[in-house]
Amino acid sequence: KQWAKYPAELGQEVLSRIPVRNDRDGRYFSDPHQALPKGGYTSIFERMLEDPKITVVTNTDYFEVKDRLKCDRVYYTGPIDSYFADLGWPKLEYRSLSFERVVREDTPGYFQEAAVVNHPQNVDAESGKEVNYTRIVEYKHMLNQTSDSTIYFIERSKDGGEPYYPVPNKENKDLYKRYQEMAEKEEGVTFVGRLANYKYFNMD
């Protein structure tokens, strides 16, 4: 459902990332110690970038300014096929997400039993209605908040838009290897992260 493909069409590493439990542990991961930054992730990066030697430029296409950059090494985190677009090769396949923000009033407790609930089914077994979303995240769980309301986000998988997920099937893997060979020849550039390596990485 996430990739709009049958499981047999995807690499086995997809399922290796998904924890399967037969207990009542409501956490997504099983690490003994789990935490969120006190001030959130935004404050971490704001502090990292406070150094006067660091210049932050937003709303800028890297490929329009790269010839004007002066640095010994580039750490590229975008889609690797975009970096080598001049080759005219086929594009790698990615899936994107849309996020629907829902504010639920008069909810002193929670909307759902856990912070993250995946919805792999296409049809609700009880109501028979279509389930067109893949995940619901309720952040109130994570921060131990007390409130008469709650906010959750409904995630829907889609084609097009901001690339989030590589689609690990044989065709894409073979194509990525061609891009990877070009990346290894690129001097002064390190390809970093999920999009540049066409591979899943957890934050830890």
Side-chain angles (χ1 to χ4, degrees):
K1 183 177 178 180
Q2 175 73 39
W3 295 270
K5 296 185 184 299
Y6 288 104
E9 298 178 83
L10 297 169
Q12 62 184 9
E13 66 269 24
V14 171
L15 286 178
S16 68
R17 295 185 66 253
I18 302 173
V20 178
R21 296 194 179 94
N22 57 3
D23 56 29
R24 301 293 295 177
D25 190 342
R27 301 173 304 165
Y28 191 78
F29 297 105
S30 301
D31 304 83
H33 303 288
Q34 302 180 41
L36 289 171
K38 183 178 180 180
Y41 287 102
T42 299
S43 64
I44 287 181
F45 286 99
E46 285 176 343
R47 293 181 65 183
M48 288 172 60
L49 299 172
E50 280 178 354
D51 193 297
K53 296 180 180 179
I54 298 176
T55 301
V56 178
V57 180
T58 59
N59 300 317
T60 302
D61 188 331
Y62 164 74
F63 299 103
E64 293 180 359
V65 301
K66 68 174 186 175
D67 293 335
R68 303 200 302 269
L69 298 177
K70 297 179 180 179
C71 51
D72 294 331
R73 176 159 292 276
V74 170
Y75 294 89
Y76 178 78
T77 61
I80 191 171
D81 52 350
S82 295
Y83 187 92
F84 294 107
D86 291 345
L87 295 174
W89 292 356
K91 293 182 68 65
L92 289 164
E93 187 178 3
Y94 297 93
R95 292 288 284 176
S96 188
L97 293 174
S98 66
F99 299 90
E100 178 187 350
R101 181 177 182 266
V102 179
V103 179
R104 189 181 177 103
E105 306 288 350
D106 300 319
T107 308
Y110 298 110
F111 167 71
Q112 58 188 19
E113 294 184 1
V116 180
V117 177
N118 293 325
H119 293 267
Q121 73 277 25
N122 288 316
V123 178
D124 185 276
E126 294 182 4
S127 68
K129 294 182 179 179
E130 179 187 6
V131 180
N132 65 356
Y133 45 87
T134 53
R135 179 161 61 186
I136 297 179
V137 181
E138 185 178 16
Y139 292 92
K140 189 175 179 180
H141 285 272
M142 302 178 188
L143 304 175
N144 295 319
Q145 297 174 335
T146 55
S147 171
D148 290 332
S149 303
T150 189
I151 298 174
Y152 57 89
F153 284 80
I154 301 173
E155 299 182 14
R156 293 179 175 87
S157 179
K158 65 177 186 176
D159 286 321
E162 190 79 16
Y164 281 90
Y165 296 99
V167 181
N169 59 18
K170 186 178 186 310
E171 181 181 355
N172 285 314
K173 288 179 183 179
D174 291 344
L175 178 57
Y176 167 70
K177 287 179 181 177
R178 294 170 61 192
Y179 282 114
Q180 185 180 34
E181 289 173 359
M182 297 302 299
E184 291 171 353
K185 299 175 184 176
E186 196 76 0
E187 295 184 3
V189 181
T190 300
F191 292 82
V192 181
R194 178 182 288 194
L195 302 180
N197 289 276
Y198 205 69
K199 178 182 178 182
Y200 290 98
F201 289 103
N202 290 329
M203 291 184 66
D204 56 355

